Each structure stands twice: as structure tokens, then as C-alpha cells.
Amino acid sequence: MTKYKENKEVIQVKPALLTEEKKVERLQKAIQEGLDSGIVKDFDPIKHLEALRSSK
């Protein structure tokens, strides 16, 4: 027995699944880019936060 009773239900759910897959792919890509970027040396989180706040 399947999760869906009618083919119509599958067709309605498919676009949402594709959207979720794209979100997962973007998240995986962003995580990998972060890992590949390396570690920042001499990072001052307070100065960084102040710079972010002043740029608004």
C-alpha cells in the first residue's frame, strides 16, 4: 500500500518536494563553501559586529 490514494495526490505533492530538494541542495552548497573558506585568523567578533551594525 502506498502513501497516496490517488495519482492526483502525487502530482500535487511533487512541486513541494522539488522545492524542498532545492533548499537542501542550496544549504549543502553553503555549508561546503563555508568549510572550504578556511579559518579566519585575528578575527575580532566585537569589531565585526560593530561594522555590521554601522553598515545599516
Side-chain angles (χ1 to χ4, degrees):
M1 183 166 191
T2 64
K3 181 176 171 178
Y4 305 101
K5 294 178 183 174
E6 299 179 23
N7 290 339
K8 177 177 77 172
E9 292 178 65
V10 174
I11 293 169
Q12 291 171 341
V13 170
K14 184 65 175 176
L17 291 175
L18 290 174
T19 300
E20 288 301 312
E21 287 175 3
K22 288 180 183 179
K23 287 179 184 178
V24 170
E25 288 174 7
R26 286 195 308 259
L27 180 57
Q28 288 172 331
K29 183 180 177 187
I31 290 170
Q32 190 59 53
E33 287 175 359
L35 292 171
D36 293 343
S37 69
I39 297 174
V40 176
K41 296 180 181 174
D42 299 328
F43 179 74
D44 184 343
I46 302 299
K47 286 183 182 179
H48 180 70
L49 185 58
E50 288 172 356
L52 288 174
R53 288 180 177 157
S54 68
S55 68
K56 286 185 176 182

